[in-house]
Amino acid sequence: MLRQNLIHRFSLLSSSFPLSTLLFSCPSLLPLSLRFSTSIHPSGFLRTRSRKSLQPTTSYMATSRFFNLVPVNSALAEDGGGTSNGSLSSSTIEDEENASLGSGYRLPPTEIKDIVDAPPLPALSFSPQRDKILFLKRRSLPPLAELARPEEKLAGIRIDGKCNSRSRMSFYTGIGIHQLLQDGSLGPEKEVHGFPDGAKINFVSWSRDGRYLSFSIRIDEEDNSSKLRVWVADVETGIAKPLFQSPDIFLNAVFDNFVWVDGSTLLVFTIPLSRGDPPKRPLVPSGPKIQSNEQKNVVQVRTFQDLLKDEYDEDLFDYYATTQLVLASLDGTVKEIGPPAVYTSIDPSPDQKYLLVSSIHRPYSFIVPCGRFRKKVDVWTTDGKFVRELCDLPLAEDVPIAFNSVRKGMRSINWRADKPSTLYWVETQDGGDAKVEVSPRDVIYTQSPDPCDGEEPKVLHKLDLRFGGISWCDDSLALVYESWYKTRRTRTWVISPGSEDASPRILFDRSSEDVYSDPGSPMMRRTHAGTYVIAKVKKEGDGGTYILLNGSGATPEGNIPFLDLFGINTGSKQRIWESDKEKYYETVVALMSDQNEGDLCIDQLKILTSKESKTENTQYYIQSWPDKKVYQITNFPHPYPQLASLQKEMVRYQRKDGVQLTATLYLPPGYDPSKDGPLPCLVWSYPGEFKSKDAAGQVRGSPNEFAGIGPTSALLWLARRFAILSGPTIPIIGEGDEEANDRYVEQLVASAEAAVEEVIRRGVAHPNKIAVGGHSYGAFMTANLLAHAPHLFCCGIARSGAYNRTLTPFGFQNEDRTLWEATSTYVEMSPFMSANKIKKPILLIHGEEDNNPGTLTMQSDRFFNALKGHGALCRLVVLPFESHGYAARESIMHVLWETDRWLQKYCISNSSDIVADRDDCKVDGNKAKDDLGGKAVSVGGEGGQEQDDVDQDEFLVTLRSLL
């Protein structure tokens, strides 16, 4: 019988997945930009934090699947089945179950729907001179019709052919300009006007002198109006006009869009005027699709999605991605520069004399996305004259999967931010393979864009770890960053780019996991050329060299952000600003006193800060030295006043192996545990990997941060009187040479047990009514907990997860061993392999067009079939047109309805005695050990379960030997 079961199970597995398929996202083709500690982008943009913004994603099917919106409350009103808190009676639940089997999108209860439908707060953008602020207005969730637009999936990206841009871009609905007055207040709003009503606005950017705004406009119509056009607005008047007088010039936004070359000229990526209709797929293929490795090359690639499949796809990719570069002046002058090509980025030099031009070209690849295609980088003059070729990199199909592995050849090619026109780049010395031991590992070079004959690149610095970026200041100072993932080591070097005699020295050498030792990152100031460099600060009567370090200030009590005046030569620190510790959480966002060139005077310092509390949403302030007077510049309304008095606490507790854990506990407004008793509880989390127990136990985040509630947030169930344990740390630790995932299940269960015990100990969670959920790797966690810790939770909600790790054989998440190198780990971590052990209700939700690495929709399909094949109580919801994250209002509302229904039926109404199950599991866990890892598992309990577990263990051993 065992042999028959084994053959049957293995045949199902072998037919369920090709071991050669895996998925990974397309690397960005845009130039590398440094990551700074400030939350303001170098473009001057700043996002408010009350709601997550929609990201440009994709939709895939030309046919639409629309259904009626039916409020679940309407069914309750008809038969009187509702209760005072919105719960469902048993009869109503059964009616709803039957009704939900039909087609139709649903709406969640009003108390949840109203929060999700609240209008989003605007994004903010400051002018280069810091004297004006843009309020970029946004709409709420998009309709499903926008996601249903046809799109092309090519070379790892998804393209909206009608717009000739990436699919499903979010957009702004309006632009308001406010003058920032001397007293910190805002002047009246000046609305940018002149463009058509209903226009969708993207790619808003300031000219270098702050006099103009450039942006794109699109209108959804059947003709060419759906394509993007470039507009320019005068900041003083608010009047906007099209950049091009010709109605036939459209923006090509597949890769880049446009950039200001000077105060009155833009370089624009346009659709070639000579382009005709898109190529048509031949009815009969010219031949079979063939891939060959007769050279026996070792090529291990992640499971990339949306790859090119044939010659037709190559032609279609070229059709949409080919760009004609155009120089357009505000006086109407238009000049084409360079031939049409698949340009991926254009970066003008700070002095506006040269262009760094990146493009990709054939031959293309069918196994990697466009980020690994052949890449050519040239230097042109600003008017389009070719200067020289920097590199023509071959296809990068053989980049090793080990972390910190990179492409061979020149990479991170950029202009020095502190020089008029000086190039720098990095070249690997290990062939791009992180497993090769070599010193140095990376070398940084620098050179002029048009070198004299025989002039060789200059070696700027050599690194033994992997290059991580440079913060430029001037010839006497730059900071170079390097890191190594396996050891979590990160180092910061001080170099003097203009002095060959000055020896580089290490400024900071620490573990990236040790947040308590993080000294902060340098504050950057904007130059007149529009670049960002390290801000040097001078003190009166002191000739030392100082910079500002902006840090998160992690402590055992939570984050207390700070701003330090740091002596770059002496290492001295003076804390000149620190967040409030008692009630508020404050951060330094950006410098506001960087209008003039040269060092900043400490007594004239001006900074932009944010301030929030548990119950007060984020507002922005300007603080000036020397008196440190504070001016509030925004007064945003509370985005969800019905939850304004929610209760929030950062809790600390301990895992049984001594690891310190933290979580954020949220309780509904007005809740009193002594009077109201324990609540149903939803635990929502996402595991993380660490190299040390000490680092895993450090506190991250602040108890005073405002509770931002996104459209699919677990915090929405505070409105349904749930306790929410948000983000309990689930550290998977691998110290020394130990691989963290080799003890994944053991550590996962131990962390969950500690979290559940803590909320029960506090009396805020009913022991029999604790649900668990997560998204992506959190969904993977949820399924594993229901399989290996059924005594903890009454039900689970798993969104967009991966459940069978043999479908991602060349690594996943932070695992860079292959399936054949770590077979036991892959199999034991996969809840698919333990589907027969899942007895608690599990709700699976997945986007039908998920393009995230590893989380193909098939993962949920196969997992659901495995669960159903063992009689598990389960439900699978597949969302048409949705990707890894959900975007459309219909989809999100239905996800919330499904989740609320699941929690009402299997958490609030749960009558099983989980406490008894928990006690039984502790006893049985001491008696039974898993043959594959010596880990405690629960056996017995339900009829036939013990034999199933034995069969499963023998099956896994046999599968491991076969693989």
Side-chain angles (χ1 to χ4, degrees), residues 50-51 111 114-119 121 614-617 636-647 668-670 706-707 709 718-719:
S50 65
R51 185 177 302 281
E111 52 263 50
D114 288 348
I115 296 174
V116 176
D117 276 339
L121 298 179
K614 298 176 184 179
T615 57
E616 300 172 50
N617 54 309
F636 296 123
H638 198 291
Y640 18 88
Q642 57 271 58
L643 293 179
S645 58
L646 62 79
Q647 303 173 53
F706 180 70
I709 302 179
L718 290 169

Side-chain angles (χ1 to χ4, degrees), residues 317-429:
F317 176 73
D318 276 341
Y319 176 83
Y320 286 114
T322 297
T323 289
Q324 175 63 61
L325 298 176
V326 172
L327 279 173
S329 297
L330 299 186
D331 61 7
T333 305
V334 174
K335 177 187 177 182
E336 293 185 351
I337 64 171
V342 183
Y343 299 108
T344 56
S345 68
I346 302 290
D347 189 14
S349 62
D351 64 2
Q352 308 167 11
K353 292 182 178 180
Y354 297 96
L355 299 174
L356 192 60
V357 182
S358 299
S359 61
I360 56 178
H361 61 91
R362 298 193 185 212
Y364 296 147
S365 171
F366 295 151
I367 64 172
V368 293
C370 56
R372 295 193 183 183
F373 286 1
R374 291 193 64 176
K375 179 180 180 180
K376 189 167 178 283
V377 183
D378 296 329
V379 177
W380 298 357
T381 61
T382 306
D383 58 359
K385 294 179 181 178
F386 177 82
V387 176
R388 68 167 172 143
E389 178 185 292
L390 285 177
C391 64
D392 191 352
L393 303 176
L395 277 172
E397 295 182 328
D398 58 350
V399 176
I401 62 172
F403 284 102
N404 288 122
S405 293
V406 295
R407 186 176 194 156
K408 300 175 185 176
M410 297 172 67
R411 69 183 199 278
S412 301
I413 307 171
N414 279 292
W415 300 106
R416 275 184 60 169
D418 62 326
K419 287 291 183 179
S421 52
T422 300
L423 291 165
Y424 74 94
W425 67 87
V426 182
E427 292 186 28
T428 179
Q429 308 300 299

Side-chain angles (χ1 to χ4, degrees), residues 57-97:
T57 48
T58 48
S59 60
Y60 314 105
M61 300 189 180
T63 58
S64 60
R65 288 174 259 184
F66 300 110
F67 308 103
N68 294 326
L69 288 172
V70 183
V72 64
N73 291 359
S74 63
L76 297 179
E78 289 175 2
D79 60 16
T83 61
S84 60
N85 66 352
S87 305
L88 301 179
S89 68
S90 58
S91 61
T92 303
I93 290 174
E94 184 176 354
D95 293 340
E96 286 297 319
E97 172 68 21

Side-chain angles (χ1 to χ4, degrees), residues 518 548-555 557-565 573-588 605 607 609-611 623 625 628 630 704:
D518 187 352
L548 297 170
L549 292 181
N550 183 10
S552 60
T555 73
E557 288 72 42
N559 288 1
I560 306 173
F562 62 83
L563 189 64
D564 280 349
L565 187 65
K573 290 183 181 181
Q574 177 187 350
R575 187 139 301 179
I576 62 172
W577 178 93
E578 188 174 64
S579 170
D580 176 83
K581 304 176 184 179
E582 303 303 322
K583 180 181 179 181
Y584 292 101
Y585 175 73
E586 301 169 287
T587 64
V588 175
L605 186 65
I607 59 174
T609 64
S610 67
K611 184 177 181 179
Q623 185 167 356
W625 270 251
K628 297 188 179 180
V630 177
N704 295 325

Side-chain angles (χ1 to χ4, degrees), residues 49 585 612-615 645-651 663-669 701-708 715 718 724 726 762:
R49 299 172 50 196
Y585 175 73
E612 62 197 81
S613 72
K614 298 176 184 179
T615 57
S645 58
L646 62 79
Q647 303 173 53
K648 175 185 177 182
E649 181 183 0
M650 182 175 285
V651 297
T664 305
L665 177 63
Y666 293 90
L667 299 171
S702 168
N704 295 325
E705 286 183 89
F706 180 70
L715 300 186
L718 290 169
I724 308 296
S726 177
R762 288 173 168 264

Side-chain angles (χ1 to χ4, degrees), residues 650-713:
M650 182 175 285
V651 297
R652 300 197 67 183
Y653 49 98
Q654 186 170 298
R655 204 165 72 177
K656 61 184 179 183
D657 60 357
V659 176
Q660 293 292 321
L661 305 177
T662 59
T664 305
L665 177 63
Y666 293 90
L667 299 171
Y671 170 72
D672 184 343
S674 63
K675 297 179 180 179
D676 302 327
L679 298 170
C681 179
L682 175 57
V683 178
W684 200 270
S685 192
Y686 192 98
E689 290 80 12
F690 293 88
K691 289 300 295 181
S692 73
K693 293 182 178 180
D694 289 341
Q698 292 183 354
V699 176
R700 293 163 173 83
S702 168
N704 295 325
E705 286 183 89
F706 180 70
I709 302 179
T712 57
S713 171

Side-chain angles (χ1 to χ4, degrees), residues 416-623:
R416 275 184 60 169
D418 62 326
K419 287 291 183 179
S421 52
T422 300
L423 291 165
Y424 74 94
W425 67 87
V426 182
E427 292 186 28
T428 179
Q429 308 300 299
D430 56 13
D433 189 350
K435 292 184 178 180
V436 174
E437 295 295 334
V438 65
S439 178
R441 190 174 292 277
D442 274 342
V443 176
I444 306 170
Y445 295 93
T446 184
Q447 193 176 38
S448 65
D450 190 9
C452 301
D453 292 341
E455 180 184 337
E456 294 295 323
K458 174 186 174 183
V459 175
L460 182 67
H461 191 48
K462 297 179 180 180
L463 301 169
D464 285 337
L465 308 181
R466 189 64 79 203
F467 172 78
I470 301 180
S471 294
W472 299 97
C473 183
D474 52 30
D475 274 340
S476 67
L477 175 63
L479 299 182
V480 181
Y481 310 99
E482 63 173 340
S483 63
W484 197 248
Y485 177 77
K486 278 292 185 183
T487 61
R488 308 300 198 273
R489 189 178 186 184
T490 179
R491 295 195 296 197
T492 302
W493 290 82
V494 177
I495 65 171
S496 298
S499 174
E500 297 182 0
D501 297 332
S503 299
R505 60 184 177 88
I506 293 177
L507 185 65
F508 305 120
D509 188 349
R510 47 182 292 274
S511 169
S512 60
E513 291 183 339
D514 182 11
V515 294
Y516 291 169
S517 69
D518 187 352
S521 301
M523 294 291 290
M524 313 298 289
R525 58 177 297 274
R526 189 182 189 277
T527 68
H528 287 172
T531 62
Y532 281 76
V533 298
I534 297 174
K536 273 188 177 180
V537 179
K538 58 185 177 182
K539 297 170 65 177
E540 187 174 350
D542 188 335
T545 301
Y546 295 93
I547 65 174
L548 297 170
L549 292 181
N550 183 10
S552 60
T555 73
E557 288 72 42
N559 288 1
I560 306 173
F562 62 83
L563 189 64
D564 280 349
L565 187 65
F566 180 76
I568 199 72
N569 296 320
T570 63
S572 63
K573 290 183 181 181
Q574 177 187 350
R575 187 139 301 179
I576 62 172
W577 178 93
E578 188 174 64
S579 170
D580 176 83
K581 304 176 184 179
E582 303 303 322
K583 180 181 179 181
Y584 292 101
Y585 175 73
E586 301 169 287
T587 64
V588 175
V589 179
L591 283 175
M592 298 293 285
S593 53
D594 57 354
Q595 296 90 342
N596 299 320
E597 296 288 344
D599 295 355
L600 304 179
C601 179
I602 188 65
D603 289 336
Q604 297 175 1
L605 186 65
K606 185 185 294 184
I607 59 174
L608 177 71
T609 64
S610 67
K611 184 177 181 179
E612 62 197 81
S613 72
K614 298 176 184 179
T615 57
E616 300 172 50
N617 54 309
T618 305
Q619 306 293 349
Y620 293 94
Y621 299 78
I622 289 179
Q623 185 167 356

